[in-house]
Amino acid sequence: MSYSEDTFKKIIAHAKEYGFIFQSSEIYDGLSAVYDYGQNGVELKNNIKKYWWDAMVRLNENIVGIDSAIFMHPTIWKASGHVGAFNDPLIDNKDSKKRYRADVLIEDAREKINQKIQKEVEKAKKRFGDTFDEAQFRDTNPRVLEKQAEIDKITARYKTAMENGDLAELRQIIIDNEVVCPISGSKNWTDVRQFNLMFSTQLGSVSEDADTIYLRPETAQGIFVNYLNVQRTGRMKIPFGIAQIGKAFRNEIVARQFIFRMREFEQMEMQFFIRPGEEQTWFEKWRSARLSWHKALGLGDEFYRLHDHDKLAHYASAATDIEFNFPFGFKELEGIHARSDFDLSQHQQFSGKKIQYFDPELNESYVPYVIETSIGLDRMFLALLSKAYTEEKVTDEEGDTRVVLNIPPALAPVKAAILPLIKKDGLPEKAREIMDNLKFDFNCQYEEKDSIGKRYRRHDAIGTPFCITVDHQTLEDNMVTIRRRDTMQQNRVAITELRSILEAETSMRKLFEKL
Ligand code: GAP
């Protein structure tokens, strides 16, 4: 389940070479932590959105979707707490002049110790073979216990410091654990300061009248301020959810790791409104439902782990991350948060409008509680791309390795490539006929340039699950060769069967049935 050392670099280069992701404003030397999606990237992204949207809105009768504006009344961000508390603690290294998030430095230091434990475990696994009992080893091995105690100590100090907003203590944890700057290698740190992550701009043409407004840092608030509109017009009964996909903006201090941490990104969020007192049940339900959504993709269950938050966001009463094993380690992919009645109560107070639900079964009114599921679309994209990127040894006339993206077929940008064997003898016309029929249901590509082997490789590299080749025999028997991406196996099938084969193997139905 591990990646080879330079996989991440290769994935970034591959994403560019095959039209998935480009650096924004590249011809002007780029804009840091902002990216554009290319012709294949946008297809993959749209498919991820559809998988999420349909799993939420179509499969759950009590969840509806909205699309709210990015610009909102500035008071919303005071009510939500983002003006006062949406901060990152930052620290500078005096020698390299580089800026870091103090919390990230501490989490990385902890992860380093964790990796040492992992190494001990791997070594012992090899030594003891089948008889190895990992749990017992972790509980008894003195070196592991010592390292685990170090982690626990950091965690306890870190948690208290974050809860109390104790910036001096955060710095002290960095000093005490001898964290060094990755650039200068020095431990010469400044004090820790708070930095607000929201981008602001002016609304209005005359500067004296202009109001400062913010680019939303999360899509969730667009849902909260529309709670009453949706509940009333949709006649929604609690429990119910509102889902939204859209852009969010954060002035990230440490923007790195490609599309993992961007300044402009997309979120897929769902706020589930419930009765007070039912948080634990619904929190657990959604945590498990979201994990199933991920696992249904078949990337491998061992690529996910759950991580309870040490530091809670200002709105949360409980929070779990679904972490994914990215090429740079396990990191947050999605968050499930119990937000209590914090947001709706705050908006009730700041707007002066009553935001409550009359529960006919209880015969009483209350401010609903909320369980939120929030996933970064770009991070989901990166997770898929990371796991899909595979270099394989093969032997054929095109060489001895192939790069293939094993993207789950339902999410693949192109479902089938339609390839006339040669560019004459009526084969292109026949292939176009097939293309013109299949394109109504599937995203297909017609290609006649280069040898058939080269065309297969190009489609392996963008993850196309099927290549359909039209040859001279096709003109006589209306059969084509169908080649499967993962096994490279080829067989002849009737043209009339193509639609049902593609339907059975590339539709999202199979994924939905697992949920
Ligand atoms: N409404 C809750 C919320 O926004 P969050 O944990 O700050 O919670 C939710 O963000 C998800 O959004 C994260 O799990 C991550 O997938 C994604 N995300 C957050 N910041 C991001 C960034 N700078 N770049 C890309 N994705 C990001």
Side-chain angles (χ1 to χ4, degrees):
M1 76 176 231
S2 56
Y3 298 90
S4 68
E5 205 155 281
D6 53 354
T7 306
F8 193 39
K9 271 196 200 135
K10 287 185 182 166
I11 290 169
I12 297 171
H14 189 87
K16 179 176 177 191
E17 192 180 344
Y18 286 92
F20 283 90
I21 298 167
F22 308 124
Q23 174 71 60
S24 157
S25 322
E26 195 186 317
I27 58 169
Y28 289 95
D29 295 333
L31 187 64
S32 157
V34 186
Y35 291 90
D36 298 336
Y37 285 81
Q39 66 279 14
N40 289 317
V42 70
E43 294 291 341
L44 175 54
K45 206 177 177 198
N46 283 342
N47 292 339
I48 301 171
K49 284 190 207 178
K50 187 170 164 45
Y51 177 45
W52 185 87
W53 185 267
D54 286 355
M56 284 291 177
V57 175
R58 255 177 53 187
L59 301 193
N60 291 289
E61 287 172 29
N62 59 352
I63 298 182
V64 292
I66 62 162
D67 183 20
S68 71
I70 287 170
F71 292 152
M72 292 195 266
H73 195 287
T75 308
I76 287 174
W77 303 110
K78 289 199 181 114
S80 69
H82 284 81
V83 171
F86 195 53
N87 300 319
D88 273 346
L90 58 96
I91 189 166
D92 291 16
N93 182 268
K94 290 184 194 162
D95 299 318
S96 66
K97 310 272 182 270
K98 288 278 171 206
R99 182 160 291 175
Y100 299 92
R101 270 174 59 177
D103 55 335
V104 172
L105 286 182
I106 295 170
E107 281 169 13
D108 285 353
R110 204 170 47 171
E111 183 56 27
K112 256 192 199 151
I113 307 174
N114 191 33
Q115 276 164 13
K116 284 185 192 156
I117 296 183
Q118 205 51 41
K119 265 198 190 138
E120 294 285 345
V121 172
E122 296 299 328
K123 263 198 317 205
K125 223 182 235 169
K126 272 197 195 131
R127 211 169 45 239
F128 294 111
D130 288 345
T131 57
F132 182 59
D133 180 342
E134 185 173 328
Q136 194 195 2
F137 180 76
R138 282 177 183 272
D139 283 346
T140 52
N141 181 277
R143 267 197 304 274
V144 170
L145 288 175
E146 191 189 316
K147 299 263 168 268
Q148 190 56 50
E150 274 178 53
I151 292 180
D152 294 345
K153 190 171 162 206
I154 297 175
T155 304
R157 286 181 70 186
Y158 173 51
K159 201 171 165 195
T160 319
M162 290 304 280
E163 274 166 10
N164 299 336
D166 187 345
L167 303 181
E169 170 67 354
L170 282 181
R171 179 174 189 272
Q172 203 52 48
I173 300 173
I174 290 172
I175 304 287
D176 292 350
N177 285 283
E178 305 191 333
V179 174
V180 297
C181 165
I183 308 286
S184 66
S186 90
K187 299 176 210 157
N188 199 2
W189 297 107
T190 63
D191 287 342
V192 177
R193 286 166 297 136
Q194 293 286 23
F195 175 82
N196 193 284
L197 297 181
M198 282 198 293
F199 285 104
S200 62
T201 186
Q202 302 299 119
L203 185 78
S205 54
V206 186
S207 61
E208 303 89 73
D209 302 339
D211 278 326
T212 297
I213 57 164
Y214 300 99
L215 273 72
R216 65 181 179 200
E218 61 170 11
T219 61
Q221 296 305 322
I223 295 179
F224 292 125
V225 297
N226 276 296
Y227 163 80
L228 282 180
N229 286 334
V230 175
Q231 193 273 321
R232 286 184 185 154
T233 57
R235 289 178 296 130
M236 306 303 291
K237 291 199 171 44
I238 273 180
F240 74 92
I242 305 179
Q244 163 155 245
I245 299 177
K247 290 262 175 160
F249 304 83
R250 295 183 190 178
N251 197 1
E252 297 283 0
I253 305 152
V254 187
R256 56 179 175 166
Q257 288 160 331
F258 194 36
I259 56 168
F260 181 80
R261 198 177 298 288
M262 300 155 90
R263 297 202 162 103
E264 173 179 342
F265 58 100
E266 261 181 284
Q267 289 185 316
M268 307 193 283
E269 299 201 297
M270 194 277 298
Q271 312 296 322
F272 200 71
F273 300 94
I274 56 170
R275 273 186 192 157
E278 296 188 349
E279 299 99 279
Q280 196 54 34
T281 316
W282 283 109
F283 183 67
E284 278 160 26
K285 264 196 184 149
W286 277 110
R287 193 169 48 185
S288 126
R290 293 304 303 146
L291 202 54
S292 304
W293 182 88
H294 286 283
K295 290 184 175 173
L297 289 169
L299 305 186
D301 291 2
E302 70 282 11
F303 275 77
Y304 303 91
R305 77 179 185 198
L306 292 173
H307 169 74
D308 293 329
H309 276 215
D310 301 320
K311 76 174 171 182
L312 291 174
H314 61 272
Y315 52 76
S317 58
T320 299
D321 289 340
I322 296 178
E323 293 187 337
F324 185 80
N325 184 11
F326 289 98
F328 38 85
F330 273 98
K331 296 274 175 195
E332 173 185 349
L333 169 59
E334 169 157 11
I336 293 100
H337 311 125
R339 293 183 78 129
S340 70
D341 61 352
F342 175 81
D343 303 88
L344 292 184
S345 294
Q346 288 290 101
H347 289 307
Q348 181 166 258
Q349 190 190 327
F350 278 72
S351 69
K353 309 271 173 350
K354 196 170 160 197
I355 308 183
Q356 298 205 347
Y357 175 77
F358 176 73
D359 194 323
E361 282 172 35
L362 300 180
N363 198 26
E364 67 178 64
S365 291
Y366 51 79
V367 178
Y369 272 51
V370 171
I371 304 298
E372 164 183 77
T373 73
S374 175
I375 173 169
L377 174 53
D378 312 271
R379 282 196 193 171
M380 185 61 203
F381 190 110
L382 183 59
L384 280 163
L385 201 62
S386 305
K387 180 64 196 359
Y389 181 90
T390 315
E391 289 172 2
E392 264 179 19
K393 292 230 168 310
V394 287
T395 37
D396 60 23
E397 64 273 20
E398 294 310 318
D400 56 9
T401 55
R402 71 163 182 159
V403 173
V404 55
L405 291 189
N406 298 117
I407 300 171
L411 302 186
V414 177
K415 303 294 187 237
I418 323 287
L419 316 170
L421 188 61
I422 53 170
K423 264 197 277 183
K424 52 182 187 182
D425 302 339
L427 302 190
E429 290 75 9
K430 189 73 184 168
R432 284 255 175 236
E433 231 178 74
I434 298 173
M435 172 80 188
D436 286 343
N437 180 24
L438 292 179
K439 74 180 179 192
F440 292 116
D441 295 302
F442 310 99
N443 188 26
C444 298
Q445 263 181 21
Y446 172 86
E447 274 208 50
E448 55 182 27
K449 214 164 156 260
D450 294 325
S451 72
I452 200 78
K454 279 211 174 77
R455 281 179 275 169
Y456 284 162
R457 284 292 157 79
R458 271 207 300 273
H459 277 280
D460 285 344
I462 64 166
T464 306
F466 293 103
C467 285
I468 296 165
T469 305
V470 172
D471 55 23
H472 292 92
Q473 184 73 23
T474 308
L475 302 180
E476 287 165 26
D477 61 6
N478 275 318
M479 307 268 284
V480 287
T481 300
I482 187 164
R483 171 192 182 265
R484 280 153 204 275
R485 174 193 73 192
D486 299 346
T487 57
M488 297 196 291
Q489 268 176 358
Q490 306 185 11
N491 61 307
R492 298 285 288 179
V493 302
I495 291 172
T496 49
E497 276 180 59
L498 287 173
R499 203 171 160 278
S500 59
I501 295 175
L502 292 189
E503 177 65 31
E505 302 204 29
T506 70
S507 87
M508 285 191 191
R509 194 190 169 95
K510 263 199 194 158
L511 301 180
F512 293 142
E513 280 171 354
K514 289 191 212 164
L515 300 180

